[in-house]
Amino acid sequence: MKSGKRWLCEACSRAFDAKQYCEFCTQIYLKSNLESSGLDGKEWAQCEGPNTCGRWAHVDCIGKKHKMTRKQVVADTFKHICSGCRAKKAKRVKPEDRIREGQLSE
């Protein structure tokens, strides 16, 4: 099957359409494989946004994007929030709250 500009098997095509891929490198994952260590040999982190979207990304990719070490990414104090959840959160903020926080000019 063709998904965008990629030729994928049926299972991967469905996964890609369901946004089951690392948002940084687009490596596809199948949810059934996430619990096993045999996915792709890399460590993954799940989005911890308020929408509980369930998306996953490589720990290394998150680190590169945010200029963080692997240790910082997996620390209990860091919460990975995917771009989709960040965008939804930004839309929910009222314009008057953004003005108060200095995000918009009056």
Side-chain angles (χ1 to χ4, degrees), residues 16-82:
F16 189 84
D17 291 343
K19 297 187 179 198
Q20 289 175 222
Y21 54 86
C22 174
E23 70 176 304
F24 305 106
C25 72
T26 66
Q27 166 71 44
I28 294 169
Y29 61 84
L30 303 176
K31 286 187 177 184
S32 59
N33 292 341
L34 280 172
E35 283 73 39
S36 70
S37 59
L39 180 61
D40 66 357
K42 297 178 182 174
E43 193 171 6
W44 292 73
Q46 189 172 25
C47 173
E48 298 180 72
N51 302 318
T52 59
C53 70
R55 290 194 68 187
W56 292 75
H58 288 119
V59 167
D60 289 341
C61 291
I62 296 167
K64 287 177 188 172
K65 171 68 177 171
H66 299 290
K67 295 181 173 76
M68 299 171 70
T69 65
R70 184 203 158 282
K71 187 176 180 180
Q72 290 171 314
V73 174
V74 299
D76 290 338
T77 55
F78 178 75
K79 292 191 183 219
H80 167 60
I81 301 175
C82 75

